[in-house]
C-alpha cells in the first residue's frame, strides 16, 4: 500500500486542567502534537499507512514524542534525531465569551535549527503517493523554507500528490514574509487547505461580506477565494473550513471543496466544543483520506467536515476516531446517544 508522508514540527503541549486560566494553574497536563503529526495520527486511525518526518532531540522528551506517535500506529522511522530541545506550546482553553489562548516556546527547537543535509528526500519519500505539510513549517525560519522547497521538488520529480494547509500564524512570521515564502512553495501544491482567514492573511485574497470575528460567514465569498487561489497557483483543488464562532464554547462548522471549477459545500454542524485545537488538522486528515480513497467531491467534503466535527469533541490535538465513526455521523447519527 502506498504511504502518506507528513513533515513538520511536533511539540509538547502543556495545558491547565479543565478550563483554568494560566494564572490559576498549579499543574499542567502534557501531551504531544503538531499540525502535520495530527494529520498523520488521523490517517493512521483510518487505516492508512502514515509516515511522519521531523527532527527531535535524542533525549527522553524527544523520545516521548516519538512514542506517542507510535502508540497510534504512525511510522516514525523517518524521524531525524539531534538538536537540544523539543518545542513547547501552552494552551488555555476558553469558555463562553472568554477565548482560548496559545503561547509558544519553540525558538531554537531541533526542527527549527535543522539543516538541509538532515533530510534525504529520495529515501524519505520512497513508496509514498502523497505528501502533506503546512505553512507553520517554513514559518519556523532557518533553513526550513529551503528544506521545504527541496521536499516539494522531490515530490514533483516522483509525481507525488502534495497537500498544504496554509495555517498562518502571526506569532511566527509577518504577512509580508509569509506571502514571499509561500508564493514560492504553493505552486508545487495540488490540494490547498485553508481556514476562513488564511488566504487573506497570506495572499491578501479576501472573502466578500464576511466578518470572522462576529461569526458572519458568506459562503459564496469563499468560492471566489478558492477560484483566485486556483488561478494564481495552479492547484487542482482548494478546500476551506468555515467556522462560525458563536462563542468559545459553541461554533457552527462547515467546509467547502472547490475543484474542476465547481464548489461543493458540506452540511453545517453546531458543535459544543470540548477542544478546538487541532480541528483544522483533523479536517485535512479527513480530506486526504477521502481523496485517496476515491470518494467523490461532495462525499469528500462531507467526510472531512464530519471528521473534524468529531475531533472538536475530544481533548487534546489528536483526532481519535475511526472511519466508521465518521461515516456514522455523515449518515445522520448525530444524537450523541449512548452506544451499548
Amino acid at each position: 500500500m502506498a504511504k502518506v508522508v507528513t513533515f513538520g514540527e511536533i511539540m509538547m503541549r502543556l495545558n491547565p486542567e479543565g478550563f483554568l486560566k494560566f494564572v490559576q494553574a498549579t499543574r499542567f497536563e502534557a501531551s504531544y502534537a503538531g499540525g502535520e503529526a495530527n494529520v498523520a495520527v488521523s490517517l493512521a486511525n483510518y487505516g492508512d499507512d502514515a509516515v511522519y518526518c521531523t527532527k527531535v532531540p535524542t533525549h527522553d522528551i524527544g523520545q516521548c514524542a516519538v512514542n506517542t506517535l507510535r502508540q497510534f500506529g504512525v511510522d516514525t522511522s523517518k524521524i531525524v534525531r539531534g538538536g537540544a530541545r523539543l518545542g513547547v506550546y501552552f494552551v488555555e482553553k476558553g469558555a463562553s465569551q472568554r477565548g482560548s489562548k496559545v503561547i509558544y516556546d519553540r525558538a531554537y527547537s531541533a526542527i527549527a535549527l535543522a539543516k538541509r543535509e538532515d533530510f534525504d528526500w529520495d529515501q524519505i519519500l520512497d513508496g509514498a503517493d502523497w505528501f502533506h505539510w503546512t505553512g507553520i513549517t517554513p514559518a519556523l525560519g532557518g533553513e526550513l523554507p529551503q528544506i521545504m522547497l527541496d521536499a516539494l521538488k522531490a515530490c514533483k520529480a516522483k509525481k507525488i500528490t502534495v497537500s498544504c494547509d496554509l495555517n498562518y500564524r502571526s506569532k511566527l512570521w509577518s504577512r509580508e514574509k509569509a506571502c514571499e515564502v509561500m508564493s514560492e512553495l504553493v505552486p508545487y501544491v495540488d490540494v490547498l487547505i485553508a481556514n476562513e482567514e488564511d488566504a487573506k492573511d497570506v495572499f491578501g485574497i479576501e472573502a466578500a461580506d464576511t466578518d470572522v470575528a462576529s461569526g458572519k460567514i458568506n459562503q459564496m465569498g469563499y468560492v471566489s477565494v478558492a477560484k483566485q487561489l486556483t488561478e494564481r497557483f495552479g492547484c487542482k483543488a482548494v478546500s476551506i473550513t468555515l467556522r462560525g464562532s458563536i462563542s468559545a464554547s459553541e461554533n457552527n462548522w462547515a467546509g467547502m471543496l472547490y475543484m474542476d471549477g465547481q464548489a461543493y459545500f458540506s452540511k453545517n454542524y453546531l458543535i459544543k466544543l470540548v477542544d478546538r485545537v487541532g480541528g483544522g488538522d483533523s479536517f485535512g486528515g479527513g480530506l486526504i483520506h477521502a481523496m485517496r480513497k476515491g470518494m467523490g467531491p461532495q462525499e469528500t467534503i462531507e467526510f472531512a467536515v464530519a471528521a473534524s466535527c468529531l475531533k472538536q469533541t475530544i481533548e487534546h490535538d489528536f483526532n481519535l476516531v475511526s472511519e466508521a465513526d465518521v461515516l456514522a455521523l455523515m449518515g445522520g447519527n448525530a444524537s450523541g446517544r449512548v452506544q451499548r
Side-chain angles (χ1 to χ4, degrees):
M1 182 186 296
K3 304 172 182 177
V4 180
V5 176
T6 75
F7 173 70
E9 180 172 32
I10 188 167
M11 297 177 289
M12 177 187 286
R13 166 179 163 166
L14 296 174
N15 57 266
E17 296 174 308
F19 292 91
L20 292 178
K21 289 176 61 61
F22 288 138
V23 294
Q24 294 175 286
T26 57
R27 59 179 64 88
F28 288 81
E29 297 175 336
S31 58
Y32 297 88
E36 301 84 356
N38 299 344
V39 170
V41 170
S42 282
L43 292 169
N45 283 328
Y46 299 141
D48 298 314
D49 283 346
V51 180
Y52 180 63
C53 180
T54 188
K55 185 174 184 179
V56 298
T58 57
H59 56 53
D60 288 353
I61 302 303
Q63 189 61 44
C64 283
V66 174
N67 290 348
T68 298
L69 294 170
R70 288 176 175 170
Q71 176 185 345
F72 298 105
V74 175
D75 182 344
T76 61
S77 62
K78 309 301 182 185
I79 291 179
V80 176
R81 306 300 179 108
R85 73 184 299 259
L86 191 76
V88 177
Y89 73 112
F90 299 83
V91 178
E92 176 186 292
K93 290 200 299 180
S96 192
Q97 282 70 44
R98 175 172 61 87
S100 298
K101 293 181 181 179
V102 173
I103 297 174
Y104 291 125
D105 179 18
R106 62 200 301 178
Y108 309 110
S109 66
I111 187 69
L113 298 179
K115 302 297 181 183
R116 292 174 68 185
E117 56 266 27
D118 288 334
F119 303 100
D120 180 348
W121 290 111
D122 187 61
Q123 190 266 340
I124 292 168
L125 296 169
D126 184 46
D129 70 350
W130 197 290
F131 178 76
H132 179 75
W133 61 289
T134 79
I136 293 172
T137 303
L140 298 174
E143 296 188 16
L144 280 166
Q146 187 58 52
I147 290 170
M148 282 306 320
L149 187 58
D150 291 343
L152 296 173
K153 287 181 176 179
C155 288
K156 185 81 168 179
K158 291 175 173 287
K159 298 182 179 179
I160 294 171
T161 299
V162 174
S163 59
C164 170
D165 191 332
L166 285 178
N167 264 356
Y168 176 71
R169 297 291 184 268
S170 61
K171 293 182 179 181
L172 296 179
W173 58 356
S174 67
R175 289 179 173 86
E176 294 74 20
K177 186 64 176 178
C179 182
E180 174 192 340
V181 173
M182 295 299 281
S183 292
E184 183 178 11
L185 300 178
V186 173
Y188 292 89
V189 172
D190 300 291
V191 180
L192 188 61
I193 304 166
N195 70 14
E196 310 81 16
E197 299 177 284
D198 285 333
K200 174 185 175 182
D201 288 334
V202 179
F203 300 121
I205 301 174
E206 185 174 2
D209 197 27
T210 286
D211 184 356
V212 174
S214 68
K216 180 184 178 183
I217 300 295
N218 172 26
Q219 288 191 341
M220 296 313 296
Y222 287 98
V223 178
S224 173
V225 170
K227 186 173 184 291
Q228 291 180 68
L229 288 169
T230 300
E231 292 173 347
R232 182 167 173 179
F233 297 110
C235 305
K236 296 176 182 176
V238 174
S239 197
I240 300 175
T241 58
L242 303 171
R243 185 188 295 276
S245 294
I246 299 169
S247 71
S249 302
E250 193 172 64
N251 285 180
N252 282 301
W253 182 252
M256 182 199 72
L257 175 61
Y258 181 87
M259 56 190 304
D260 299 323
Q262 186 170 345
Y264 303 85
F265 288 91
S266 75
K267 69 180 72 173
N268 179 76
Y269 295 93
L270 176 61
I271 309 175
K272 303 290 187 181
L273 295 168
V274 172
D275 194 336
R276 62 167 283 180
V277 180
D281 302 321
S282 60
F283 176 86
L287 193 79
I288 294 167
H289 174 74
M291 295 184 83
R292 291 181 77 241
K293 198 166 183 178
M295 294 184 189
Q298 188 64 50
E299 190 177 9
T300 292
I301 190 61
E302 296 289 1
F303 188 93
V305 170
S308 50
C309 171
L310 289 172
K311 188 274 139 204
Q312 293 172 83
T313 69
I314 299 170
E315 291 275 9
H316 304 142
D317 292 57
F318 291 162
N319 194 15
L320 306 179
V321 299
S322 67
E323 181 187 74
D325 294 329
V326 180
L327 293 174
L329 179 56
M330 287 172 61
N333 185 6
S335 66
R337 290 178 61 85
V338 176
Q339 299 177 22
R340 300 186 189 277

